[in-house]
Amino acid sequence: MGDVVNLKRFKKRTERVASAKQADANRTRFGRTKSERALDQQRETRANNLLDQHRIDGEDAS
């Protein structure tokens, strides 16, 4: 026979785990300096520009 589980504790534990995952995601997303964000924006812009330069007649080359 299975063990008795307190549903309140189980629910609270799962909410804590979900909250911790969300907090970790927010730290990686918002926990950067202004110069790091600017550098990422420059890299993204450059990659998009290089991709656009390889288009044929405004359409994908594929």
Side-chain angles (χ1 to χ4, degrees):
M1 201 165 180
D3 293 330
V4 176
V5 177
N6 187 337
L7 294 179
K8 282 185 180 181
R9 287 184 187 164
F10 181 77
K11 184 178 177 183
K12 286 182 181 182
R13 185 182 321 136
T14 56
E15 287 176 2
R16 273 195 300 268
V17 169
S19 177
K21 286 182 183 178
Q22 182 66 38
D24 188 40
N26 285 342
R27 278 192 292 272
T28 58
R29 186 174 175 198
F30 297 109
R32 299 181 301 155
T33 64
K34 187 174 184 178
S35 61
E36 289 173 335
R37 289 192 305 260
L39 182 62
D40 285 344
Q41 180 65 33
Q42 288 174 350
R43 287 178 179 163
E44 184 179 342
T45 303
R46 178 165 161 66
N48 288 335
N49 287 341
L50 288 174
L51 182 64
D52 287 341
Q53 290 173 2
H54 287 87
R55 292 182 189 262
I56 299 174
D57 296 329
E59 296 180 14
D60 280 331
S62 58

